[in-house]
Amino acid sequence: MAYVGGAMLPTLLVNVPMNEALAQADPADPQAGAVWGAYSARWQGWNQLRTVVSGAALLMCGLGLLSLNPGALAVSHASPGRQAPGAPAQPRDRSTAAADSPAGGSATGSA
């Protein structure tokens, strides 16, 4: 909603009509400089508003996506082979399971 209300609506209701009015102005007219001067400051103000609101909407979207997976930015400092605290358990490789078994041989228990 922030994007629609703060970026799209000003574009449609202010900037586009201003652009169309400026397109109708004759550049050869001696008053063209005054028309541009009046146009430029107003248009830039609205454009800056659209830029700030668009950036805020993008930030809110990013924060919303991060809230779906809060651990996405967590940096693991665990050494290779060690599981980071709070990390989901990783499946073990079957080739190492046999060597780690108490019997020291096969993972099925028949030695």
Coordinates of all heavy atoms in Angstrom, one line a residue:
M1 N 0.8 -1.2 0.0 CA 0.0 0.0 0.0 C 0.9 1.3 0.0 O 0.5 2.2 -0.6 CB -0.9 0.0 1.2 CG -2.2 -0.8 1.1 SD -3.1 -0.6 -0.5 CE -4.0 0.9 -0.1
A2 N 2.0 1.2 0.7 CA 2.9 2.4 0.7 C 3.3 2.7 -0.7 O 3.3 3.9 -1.0 CB 4.1 2.1 1.6
Y3 N 3.7 1.7 -1.4 CA 4.2 2.0 -2.8 C 3.1 2.6 -3.7 O 3.3 3.5 -4.4 CB 4.7 0.7 -3.4 CG 5.3 0.9 -4.8 CD1 6.5 1.5 -5.0 CD2 4.5 0.5 -5.9 CE1 7.0 1.8 -6.3 CE2 5.0 0.7 -7.2 CZ 6.3 1.3 -7.4 OH 6.8 1.6 -8.6
V4 N 1.9 2.0 -3.6 CA 0.7 2.5 -4.4 C 0.4 3.9 -4.0 O 0.2 4.8 -4.9 CB -0.5 1.6 -4.2 CG1 -1.7 2.2 -4.9 CG2 -0.2 0.2 -4.8
G5 N 0.3 4.2 -2.7 CA -0.1 5.5 -2.2 C 0.9 6.6 -2.4 O 0.6 7.7 -2.6
G6 N 2.2 6.2 -2.2 CA 3.3 7.2 -2.2 C 4.1 7.3 -3.4 O 4.9 8.2 -3.6
A7 N 3.9 6.3 -4.3 CA 4.7 6.3 -5.5 C 3.9 6.3 -6.8 O 4.0 7.1 -7.7 CB 5.7 5.2 -5.6
M8 N 3.0 5.4 -6.8 CA 2.1 5.2 -8.1 C 1.1 6.4 -8.2 O 1.0 6.9 -9.3 CB 1.4 3.9 -8.1 CG 2.3 2.7 -8.2 SD 3.3 2.7 -9.7 CE 2.0 2.5 -11.0
L9 N 0.4 6.7 -7.1 CA -0.6 7.8 -7.2 C 0.0 9.1 -7.6 O -0.5 9.8 -8.5 CB -1.4 7.9 -5.9 CG -2.5 6.8 -5.8 CD1 -3.2 6.9 -4.5 CD2 -3.4 6.7 -6.9
P10 N 1.1 9.5 -6.9 CA 1.7 10.8 -7.4 C 2.2 10.8 -8.8 O 2.1 11.8 -9.5 CB 2.9 11.0 -6.4 CG 2.5 10.3 -5.2 CD 1.7 9.1 -5.7
T11 N 2.7 9.6 -9.3 CA 3.1 9.5 -10.6 C 1.9 9.7 -11.6 O 2.0 10.5 -12.5 CB 3.7 8.1 -10.9 OG1 4.8 7.9 -10.1 CG2 4.1 7.9 -12.4
L12 N 0.8 9.0 -11.3 CA -0.4 9.1 -12.2 C -1.1 10.5 -12.0 O -1.6 11.0 -13.0 CB -1.3 8.0 -11.9 CG -0.8 6.6 -12.1 CD1 -1.7 5.5 -11.6 CD2 -0.5 6.4 -13.6
L13 N -1.2 11.0 -10.8 CA -2.0 12.2 -10.6 C -1.2 13.5 -10.8 O -1.8 14.6 -11.0 CB -2.6 12.2 -9.2 CG -3.6 11.0 -9.0 CD1 -4.0 11.0 -7.5 CD2 -4.7 11.0 -10.0
V14 N 0.1 13.5 -10.6 CA 0.9 14.7 -10.7 C 2.0 14.7 -11.8 O 1.9 15.5 -12.7 CB 1.6 15.0 -9.3 CG1 2.4 16.3 -9.4 CG2 0.6 15.1 -8.2
N15 N 2.9 13.8 -11.7 CA 4.0 13.8 -12.7 C 3.6 13.6 -14.1 O 4.1 14.3 -15.0 CB 5.1 12.8 -12.3 CG 5.8 13.2 -11.0 OD1 5.4 12.7 -9.9 ND2 6.8 14.1 -11.1
V16 N 2.8 12.6 -14.4 CA 2.4 12.4 -15.8 C 1.6 13.6 -16.4 O 1.9 14.0 -17.5 CB 1.6 11.0 -15.9 CG1 0.9 10.9 -17.3 CG2 2.5 9.9 -15.6
P17 N 0.6 14.1 -15.6 CA -0.1 15.3 -16.2 C 0.9 16.5 -16.4 O 0.8 17.2 -17.4 CB -1.1 15.6 -15.1 CG -1.4 14.3 -14.5 CD -0.1 13.6 -14.4
M18 N 1.8 16.6 -15.5 CA 2.8 17.7 -15.7 C 3.7 17.5 -16.9 O 4.0 18.4 -17.7 CB 3.7 17.8 -14.4 CG 3.0 18.4 -13.2 SD 4.1 18.5 -11.8 CE 5.2 19.8 -12.3
N19 N 4.1 16.2 -17.1 CA 4.9 15.9 -18.3 C 4.1 16.2 -19.6 O 4.6 16.7 -20.6 CB 5.3 14.4 -18.3 CG 6.3 14.1 -17.2 OD1 6.9 15.0 -16.6 ND2 6.5 12.8 -16.9
E20 N 2.8 15.8 -19.6 CA 2.0 16.1 -20.8 C 1.8 17.5 -21.0 O 1.8 18.0 -22.2 CB 0.6 15.3 -20.6 CG 0.8 13.8 -20.7 CD -0.5 13.1 -20.4 OE1 -1.5 13.7 -19.9 OE2 -0.5 11.8 -20.5
A21 N 1.6 18.3 -20.0 CA 1.5 19.8 -20.1 C 2.7 20.4 -20.7 O 2.7 21.3 -21.5 CB 1.1 20.4 -18.8
L22 N 3.9 19.9 -20.2 CA 5.2 20.4 -20.6 C 5.4 20.1 -22.1 O 5.9 20.9 -22.9 CB 6.3 19.9 -19.8 CG 7.7 20.4 -20.1 CD1 7.8 21.9 -19.9 CD2 8.8 19.7 -19.4
A23 N 4.9 18.9 -22.5 CA 5.1 18.5 -23.9 C 4.3 19.4 -24.9 O 4.7 19.6 -26.0 CB 4.6 17.1 -24.1
Q24 N 3.3 20.1 -24.4 CA 2.5 21.0 -25.2 C 3.1 22.4 -25.3 O 2.8 23.1 -26.2 CB 1.1 21.2 -24.6 CG 0.3 19.9 -24.5 CD 0.0 19.2 -25.8 OE1 -0.3 19.9 -26.8 NE2 0.2 17.9 -25.9
A25 N 4.1 22.7 -24.4 CA 4.7 24.0 -24.5 C 5.6 24.1 -25.7 O 6.3 23.1 -26.1 CB 5.6 24.2 -23.2
D26 N 5.7 25.2 -26.3 CA 6.5 25.5 -27.5 C 7.9 25.9 -27.0 O 8.1 27.0 -26.4 CB 5.9 26.6 -28.4 CG 6.6 26.8 -29.6 OD1 7.6 26.1 -29.9 OD2 6.3 27.8 -30.3
P27 N 9.0 25.2 -27.4 CA 10.3 25.6 -26.9 C 10.8 26.9 -27.6 O 11.6 27.6 -27.0 CB 11.2 24.4 -27.4 CG 10.3 23.3 -27.8 CD 8.9 23.9 -28.0
A28 N 10.2 27.3 -28.7 CA 10.6 28.5 -29.3 C 9.9 29.7 -28.7 O 10.3 30.9 -29.0 CB 10.2 28.5 -30.8
D29 N 8.9 29.5 -27.9 CA 8.2 30.6 -27.2 C 9.2 31.3 -26.2 O 9.9 30.6 -25.5 CB 7.0 30.0 -26.4 CG 6.1 31.1 -25.8 OD1 6.4 32.3 -25.9 OD2 5.1 30.7 -25.2
P30 N 9.2 32.6 -26.2 CA 10.0 33.4 -25.2 C 9.7 33.0 -23.8 O 10.6 33.2 -22.9 CB 9.8 34.8 -25.5 CG 9.1 34.9 -26.8 CD 8.5 33.5 -27.1
Q31 N 8.6 32.6 -23.5 CA 8.2 32.2 -22.1 C 8.6 30.8 -21.7 O 8.3 30.3 -20.6 CB 6.7 32.4 -21.9 CG 6.2 33.8 -22.1 CD 6.8 34.7 -21.0 OE1 6.9 34.3 -19.9 NE2 7.1 35.9 -21.4
A32 N 9.2 30.1 -22.6 CA 9.6 28.6 -22.4 C 10.4 28.5 -21.2 O 10.3 27.5 -20.4 CB 10.2 28.0 -23.6
G33 N 11.4 29.4 -21.0 CA 12.2 29.3 -19.8 C 11.5 29.5 -18.5 O 11.7 28.7 -17.5
A34 N 10.5 30.3 -18.5 CA 9.7 30.5 -17.3 C 8.8 29.3 -17.0 O 8.6 28.8 -15.9 CB 8.8 31.8 -17.4
V35 N 8.3 28.7 -18.1 CA 7.5 27.5 -18.0 C 8.3 26.3 -17.4 O 7.9 25.6 -16.5 CB 6.9 27.1 -19.4 CG1 6.2 25.7 -19.3 CG2 5.9 28.1 -19.9
W36 N 9.5 26.2 -17.9 CA 10.4 25.2 -17.4 C 10.8 25.4 -16.0 O 10.8 24.5 -15.2 CB 11.7 25.1 -18.3 CG 12.7 24.1 -17.7 CD1 13.8 24.4 -17.1 CD2 12.6 22.7 -17.7 NE1 14.5 23.3 -16.7 CE2 13.7 22.2 -17.0 CE3 11.6 21.8 -18.1 CZ2 13.9 20.8 -16.8 CZ3 11.9 20.4 -17.9 CH2 13.0 20.0 -17.3
G37 N 11.1 26.6 -15.6 CA 11.4 27.0 -14.2 C 10.3 26.6 -13.3 O 10.6 26.1 -12.2
A38 N 9.1 26.9 -13.6 CA 8.0 26.6 -12.8 C 7.7 25.1 -12.7 O 7.4 24.5 -11.6 CB 6.7 27.3 -13.2
Y39 N 8.0 24.4 -13.8 CA 7.7 23.0 -13.9 C 8.8 22.2 -13.1 O 8.5 21.3 -12.4 CB 7.8 22.6 -15.4 CG 7.9 21.1 -15.6 CD1 6.7 20.3 -15.7 CD2 9.1 20.5 -15.8 CE1 6.8 19.0 -16.0 CE2 9.2 19.1 -16.0 CZ 8.1 18.4 -16.1 OH 8.2 17.1 -16.4
S40 N 10.0 22.5 -13.3 CA 11.1 21.7 -12.8 C 11.1 21.6 -11.3 O 11.2 20.5 -10.8 CB 12.5 22.3 -13.3 OG 13.5 21.6 -12.8
A41 N 11.0 22.7 -10.6 CA 11.0 22.6 -9.1 C 9.9 21.7 -8.5 O 10.1 20.9 -7.7 CB 11.0 24.0 -8.5
R42 N 8.7 21.9 -9.1 CA 7.5 21.1 -8.6 C 7.7 19.7 -8.9 O 7.4 18.8 -8.1 CB 6.3 21.7 -9.2 CG 5.0 21.0 -8.7 CD 3.8 21.8 -9.1 NE 2.6 21.0 -8.7 CZ 1.6 20.6 -9.5 NH1 1.7 20.9 -10.8 NH2 0.6 19.9 -9.0
W43 N 8.1 19.4 -10.2 CA 8.2 18.0 -10.6 C 9.3 17.3 -9.8 O 9.1 16.1 -9.4 CB 8.6 18.0 -12.1 CG 8.5 16.6 -12.7 CD1 7.4 16.1 -13.3 CD2 9.5 15.6 -12.7 NE1 7.7 14.8 -13.7 CE2 9.0 14.5 -13.4 CE3 10.8 15.6 -12.3 CZ2 9.7 13.3 -13.6 CZ3 11.6 14.4 -12.5 CH2 11.0 13.3 -13.2
Q44 N 10.4 17.9 -9.5 CA 11.5 17.3 -8.8 C 11.1 17.0 -7.3 O 11.5 16.0 -6.8 CB 12.8 18.2 -8.8 CG 13.4 18.2 -10.1 CD 14.7 19.0 -10.1 OE1 15.4 19.1 -9.1 NE2 15.0 19.7 -11.3
G45 N 10.3 17.9 -6.7 CA 9.8 17.6 -5.4 C 8.9 16.4 -5.3 O 9.1 15.5 -4.5
W46 N 8.0 16.3 -6.3 CA 7.2 15.1 -6.3 C 8.0 13.8 -6.7 O 7.8 12.7 -6.1 CB 6.1 15.2 -7.3 CG 5.0 16.1 -6.8 CD1 4.7 17.4 -7.0 CD2 4.0 15.6 -5.9 NE1 3.6 17.8 -6.3 CE2 3.1 16.7 -5.6 CE3 3.7 14.5 -5.2 CZ2 2.0 16.7 -4.7 CZ3 2.6 14.4 -4.3 CH2 1.8 15.5 -4.1
N47 N 9.0 14.0 -7.5 CA 9.9 12.8 -7.9 C 10.7 12.4 -6.7 O 10.9 11.2 -6.5 CB 10.8 13.2 -9.0 CG 11.4 12.0 -9.7 OD1 10.7 11.0 -10.0 ND2 12.7 12.0 -9.8
Q48 N 11.2 13.3 -5.9 CA 11.9 12.9 -4.7 C 11.0 12.2 -3.7 O 11.5 11.2 -3.1 CB 12.6 14.2 -4.0 CG 13.7 14.7 -4.8 CD 14.2 16.0 -4.3 OE1 13.7 16.6 -3.3 NE2 15.2 16.6 -5.0
L49 N 9.8 12.6 -3.5 CA 8.8 11.9 -2.7 C 8.7 10.5 -3.2 O 8.7 9.5 -2.4 CB 7.5 12.6 -2.6 CG 6.4 11.8 -2.0 CD1 6.6 11.9 -0.4 CD2 5.0 12.3 -2.4
R50 N 8.5 10.3 -4.5 CA 8.3 9.0 -5.1 C 9.5 8.1 -4.8 O 9.4 6.9 -4.5 CB 8.0 9.1 -6.6 CG 6.7 9.8 -6.9 CD 6.5 9.8 -8.4 NE 7.6 10.2 -9.2 CZ 7.8 9.8 -10.5 NH1 6.9 9.2 -11.1 NH2 8.9 10.2 -11.1
T51 N 10.7 8.7 -4.9 CA 11.9 7.9 -4.7 C 12.0 7.5 -3.3 O 12.4 6.3 -3.0 CB 13.2 8.8 -5.1 OG1 13.0 9.2 -6.4 CG2 14.5 8.1 -4.8
V52 N 11.8 8.3 -2.3 CA 11.9 8.0 -0.9 C 10.8 6.9 -0.6 O 11.2 5.9 0.1 CB 11.7 9.2 0.0 CG1 11.6 8.8 1.5 CG2 12.9 10.1 -0.2
V53 N 9.6 7.1 -1.0 CA 8.6 6.1 -0.7 C 8.9 4.8 -1.4 O 8.7 3.7 -0.8 CB 7.2 6.7 -1.1 CG1 6.1 5.6 -1.0 CG2 6.8 7.8 -0.2
S54 N 9.4 4.8 -2.6 CA 9.7 3.5 -3.3 C 10.8 2.8 -2.5 O 10.8 1.6 -2.3 CB 10.2 3.8 -4.7 OG 9.1 4.3 -5.4
G55 N 11.8 3.5 -2.0 CA 12.9 2.9 -1.2 C 12.4 2.3 0.1 O 12.7 1.2 0.5
A56 N 11.5 3.1 0.7 CA 10.9 2.6 2.0 C 10.1 1.3 1.7 O 10.1 0.4 2.5 CB 10.1 3.7 2.7
A57 N 9.3 1.3 0.6 CA 8.5 0.1 0.3 C 9.4 -1.1 0.0 O 9.1 -2.2 0.4 CB 7.6 0.4 -0.9
L58 N 10.5 -0.8 -0.7 CA 11.4 -1.9 -0.9 C 12.0 -2.5 0.4 O 12.2 -3.7 0.6 CB 12.5 -1.5 -1.9 CG 13.6 -2.5 -2.2 CD1 13.0 -3.7 -2.9 CD2 14.7 -1.9 -3.0
L59 N 12.4 -1.5 1.3 CA 12.9 -1.9 2.6 C 11.9 -2.8 3.4 O 12.2 -3.8 3.9 CB 13.4 -0.7 3.4 CG 13.9 -1.0 4.8 CD1 15.2 -1.8 4.7 CD2 14.1 0.3 5.5
M60 N 10.7 -2.3 3.4 CA 9.6 -3.1 4.1 C 9.4 -4.4 3.5 O 9.2 -5.4 4.2 CB 8.3 -2.3 4.1 CG 8.3 -1.1 5.0 SD 6.7 -0.3 5.1 CE 6.6 0.6 3.6
C61 N 9.5 -4.5 2.2 CA 9.4 -5.8 1.5 C 10.5 -6.8 1.9 O 10.3 -7.9 2.2 CB 9.3 -5.6 0.0 SG 9.1 -7.1 -1.0
G62 N 11.7 -6.2 1.9 CA 12.9 -7.0 2.3 C 12.7 -7.5 3.8 O 13.0 -8.7 4.1
L63 N 12.3 -6.6 4.7 CA 12.1 -7.0 6.1 C 11.0 -8.0 6.2 O 11.2 -8.9 7.0 CB 11.8 -5.7 6.9 CG 13.0 -4.7 7.1 CD1 12.5 -3.5 7.8 CD2 14.2 -5.4 7.8
G64 N 10.0 -7.9 5.4 CA 8.9 -8.9 5.4 C 9.4 -10.3 5.0 O 9.1 -11.3 5.6
L65 N 10.3 -10.3 4.0 CA 10.8 -11.6 3.5 C 11.8 -12.2 4.6 O 11.8 -13.4 4.8 CB 11.6 -11.4 2.2 CG 10.7 -11.1 1.0 CD1 11.5 -10.8 -0.2 CD2 9.8 -12.3 0.7
L66 N 12.6 -11.3 5.2 CA 13.4 -11.8 6.3 C 12.6 -12.3 7.5 O 13.1 -13.3 8.1 CB 14.4 -10.7 6.8 CG 15.6 -10.4 5.9 CD1 16.4 -9.3 6.4 CD2 16.4 -11.7 5.7
S67 N 11.5 -11.8 7.8 CA 10.7 -12.2 8.9 C 10.2 -13.6 8.6 O 9.8 -14.4 9.6 CB 9.5 -11.3 9.2 OG 8.5 -11.4 8.2
L68 N 10.1 -14.0 7.4 CA 9.7 -15.4 7.1 C 10.8 -16.4 7.4 O 10.5 -17.6 7.7 CB 9.3 -15.5 5.6 CG 8.1 -14.7 5.1 CD1 8.0 -14.8 3.6 CD2 6.9 -15.1 5.8
N69 N 12.0 -16.0 7.4 CA 13.1 -16.9 7.7 C 14.2 -16.0 8.5 O 15.2 -15.6 8.0 CB 13.8 -17.4 6.5 CG 14.9 -18.4 6.8 OD1 15.1 -18.8 7.9 ND2 15.5 -18.9 5.7
P70 N 13.9 -15.8 9.8 CA 14.8 -14.9 10.6 C 16.3 -15.3 10.6 O 17.1 -14.5 10.8 CB 14.2 -14.9 12.0 CG 13.0 -15.7 11.9 CD 12.9 -16.3 10.6
G71 N 16.5 -16.6 10.5 CA 17.9 -17.1 10.6 C 18.7 -16.9 9.3 O 19.8 -17.4 9.2
A72 N 18.1 -16.4 8.2 CA 18.7 -16.3 6.9 C 20.0 -15.5 6.9 O 20.9 -15.8 6.2 CB 17.7 -15.7 5.9
L73 N 20.1 -14.5 7.8 CA 21.3 -13.7 7.8 C 22.3 -14.1 8.9 O 23.3 -13.5 9.0 CB 20.9 -12.2 8.1 CG 20.1 -11.5 7.0 CD1 19.8 -10.1 7.3 CD2 20.9 -11.6 5.7
A74 N 21.9 -15.2 9.6 CA 22.8 -15.6 10.7 C 24.1 -16.2 10.0 O 24.1 -16.9 9.0 CB 22.2 -16.7 11.5
V75 N 25.2 -15.9 10.6 CA 26.5 -16.3 10.1 C 27.0 -17.4 11.1 O 27.1 -17.3 12.3 CB 27.5 -15.2 10.1 CG1 28.9 -15.7 9.7 CG2 27.1 -14.1 9.2
S76 N 27.3 -18.6 10.5 CA 27.8 -19.7 11.3 C 29.3 -19.6 11.5 O 30.0 -19.4 10.6 CB 27.4 -21.0 10.6 OG 28.0 -22.1 11.2
H77 N 29.7 -19.7 12.8 CA 31.1 -19.7 13.1 C 31.6 -21.1 13.5 O 32.6 -21.3 14.1 CB 31.4 -18.7 14.2 CG 31.1 -17.3 13.8 ND1 31.8 -16.6 13.0 CD2 30.0 -16.5 14.2 CE1 31.3 -15.4 12.8 NE2 30.2 -15.3 13.5
A78 N 30.8 -22.1 13.2 CA 31.1 -23.5 13.5 C 32.2 -24.0 12.6 O 32.3 -23.6 11.4 CB 29.9 -24.4 13.4
S79 N 33.1 -24.8 13.1 CA 34.2 -25.4 12.3 C 33.6 -26.5 11.4 O 32.5 -27.0 11.8 CB 35.3 -25.9 13.2 OG 34.8 -26.9 14.0
P80 N 34.3 -26.8 10.4 CA 33.7 -27.8 9.5 C 33.6 -29.1 10.3 O 34.4 -29.5 11.1 CB 34.8 -28.0 8.4 CG 35.5 -26.7 8.4 CD 35.5 -26.2 9.8
G81 N 32.5 -29.8 10.1 CA 32.2 -31.0 10.8 C 31.5 -30.8 12.1 O 31.0 -31.8 12.7
R82 N 31.4 -29.6 12.6 CA 30.7 -29.3 13.8 C 29.4 -28.6 13.4 O 29.4 -27.8 12.5 CB 31.4 -28.4 14.8 CG 32.5 -29.1 15.6 CD 33.0 -28.3 16.7 NE 31.8 -27.8 17.5 CZ 32.0 -27.1 18.6 NH1 33.1 -26.7 19.0 NH2 30.9 -26.7 19.3
Q83 N 28.3 -28.9 14.1 CA 27.1 -28.3 13.8 C 26.9 -27.0 14.6 O 27.3 -26.9 15.8 CB 25.9 -29.2 14.3 CG 24.6 -28.7 13.9 CD 23.5 -29.8 14.3 OE1 23.8 -30.9 14.1 NE2 22.4 -29.3 14.7
A84 N 26.5 -25.9 13.9 CA 26.3 -24.6 14.6 C 25.1 -24.7 15.6 O 24.2 -25.5 15.4 CB 26.0 -23.5 13.6
P85 N 25.2 -24.0 16.7 CA 24.1 -24.1 17.7 C 22.8 -23.6 17.1 O 22.8 -22.6 16.4 CB 24.6 -23.1 18.8 CG 26.0 -22.9 18.6 CD 26.3 -23.2 17.2
G86 N 21.8 -24.4 17.3 CA 20.5 -24.0 16.7 C 20.3 -24.4 15.3 O 19.2 -24.2 14.7
A87 N 21.3 -25.0 14.6 CA 21.2 -25.3 13.2 C 20.5 -26.7 13.2 O 20.6 -27.5 14.0 CB 22.6 -25.5 12.6
P88 N 19.7 -26.9 12.1 CA 19.0 -28.2 12.0 C 20.0 -29.3 11.8 O 21.1 -29.1 11.2 CB 18.1 -28.0 10.7 CG 18.7 -26.9 10.0 CD 19.4 -26.0 11.0
A89 N 19.7 -30.5 12.3 CA 20.6 -31.6 12.2 C 20.8 -32.0 10.7 O 19.9 -32.0 9.9 CB 20.0 -32.8 12.9
Q90 N 22.0 -32.3 10.4 CA 22.4 -32.7 9.0 C 22.4 -34.2 8.9 O 22.8 -34.9 9.8 CB 23.8 -32.1 8.6 CG 23.9 -30.6 8.7 CD 23.0 -30.0 7.6 OE1 22.9 -30.5 6.5 NE2 22.4 -28.9 7.9
P91 N 21.9 -34.7 7.8 CA 21.9 -36.2 7.6 C 23.3 -36.7 7.6 O 24.2 -36.0 7.0 CB 21.2 -36.4 6.3 CG 21.2 -35.1 5.6 CD 21.3 -34.1 6.7
R92 N 23.6 -37.8 8.2 CA 24.9 -38.4 8.1 C 25.2 -39.1 6.8 O 24.3 -39.8 6.3 CB 25.1 -39.3 9.3 CG 25.0 -38.6 10.6 CD 25.3 -39.5 11.8 NE 26.6 -40.1 11.6 CZ 27.4 -40.4 12.5 NH1 27.1 -40.2 13.8 NH2 28.5 -41.0 12.3
D93 N 26.4 -39.1 6.4 CA 26.8 -39.9 5.2 C 27.0 -41.3 5.6 O 27.6 -41.7 6.6 CB 28.1 -39.3 4.8 CG 28.6 -39.9 3.5 OD1 27.9 -40.7 2.8 OD2 29.8 -39.7 3.1
R94 N 26.4 -42.2 4.8 CA 26.4 -43.7 5.1 C 27.9 -44.2 5.1 O 28.2 -45.1 5.9 CB 25.6 -44.4 4.1 CG 24.1 -44.2 4.3 CD 23.4 -45.2 3.5 NE 21.9 -45.0 3.6 CZ 21.2 -45.6 4.5 NH1 21.7 -46.4 5.3 NH2 19.9 -45.4 4.5
S95 N 28.7 -43.6 4.4 CA 30.1 -44.1 4.3 C 30.8 -43.9 5.6 O 31.7 -44.7 6.0 CB 30.9 -43.5 3.2 OG 31.0 -42.1 3.4
T96 N 30.5 -42.9 6.4 CA 31.2 -42.6 7.7 C 30.4 -43.3 8.8 O 31.0 -43.5 9.9 CB 31.3 -41.1 8.0 OG1 30.0 -40.6 8.0 CG2 32.1 -40.4 6.9
A97 N 29.1 -43.7 8.6 CA 28.4 -44.3 9.6 C 29.0 -45.7 10.0 O 29.0 -46.0 11.2 CB 26.9 -44.5 9.2
A98 N 29.5 -46.4 9.0 CA 30.0 -47.7 9.3 C 31.3 -47.6 10.2 O 31.5 -48.4 11.1 CB 30.4 -48.4 8.0
A99 N 32.1 -46.6 9.9 CA 33.3 -46.4 10.6 C 33.1 -45.9 12.1 O 33.8 -46.2 13.0 CB 34.3 -45.4 9.9
D100 N 31.9 -45.2 12.3 CA 31.6 -44.7 13.6 C 30.8 -45.7 14.4 O 30.6 -45.4 15.6 CB 30.8 -43.4 13.4 CG 31.6 -42.3 12.8 OD1 32.8 -42.4 12.8 OD2 31.0 -41.3 12.3
S101 N 30.4 -46.8 13.9 CA 29.6 -47.8 14.6 C 30.4 -48.4 15.7 O 31.6 -48.6 15.6 CB 29.0 -48.8 13.7 OG 30.0 -49.7 13.3
P102 N 29.8 -48.8 16.9 CA 30.5 -49.4 18.0 C 31.2 -50.7 17.6 O 32.3 -51.0 18.1 CB 29.5 -49.7 19.0 CG 28.3 -48.9 18.6 CD 28.4 -48.6 17.2
A103 N 30.7 -51.4 16.6 CA 31.3 -52.7 16.2 C 32.6 -52.4 15.4 O 33.4 -53.3 15.2 CB 30.3 -53.6 15.5
G104 N 32.7 -51.2 14.8 CA 33.8 -50.8 14.0 C 33.7 -51.4 12.6 O 34.6 -51.2 11.8
G105 N 32.7 -52.1 12.3 CA 32.6 -52.7 11.0 C 31.4 -52.2 10.3 O 31.2 -51.1 10.0
S106 N 30.5 -53.2 10.0 CA 29.3 -52.8 9.2 C 28.3 -52.1 10.1 O 28.2 -52.3 11.3 CB 28.8 -54.2 8.7 OG 27.4 -54.3 9.0
A107 N 27.5 -51.2 9.4 CA 26.5 -50.5 10.1 C 25.3 -51.3 10.5 O 24.5 -50.9 11.2 CB 26.1 -49.3 9.2
T108 N 25.2 -52.5 9.9 CA 24.1 -53.4 10.2 C 24.3 -54.2 11.4 O 23.3 -54.8 11.9 CB 23.8 -54.3 9.0 OG1 25.0 -55.2 8.8 CG2 23.5 -53.6 7.7
G109 N 25.4 -54.2 12.0 CA 25.7 -54.9 13.2 C 26.2 -56.4 13.0 O 26.6 -57.0 13.9
S110 N 26.2 -56.9 11.8 CA 26.7 -58.2 11.6 C 28.2 -58.1 11.2 O 28.5 -57.7 10.1 CB 25.9 -58.9 10.5 OG 26.0 -58.2 9.3
A111 N 29.0 -58.6 12.1 CA 30.5 -58.5 11.9 C 31.1 -59.7 11.5 O 30.8 -60.8 11.9 CB 31.2 -57.9 13.1

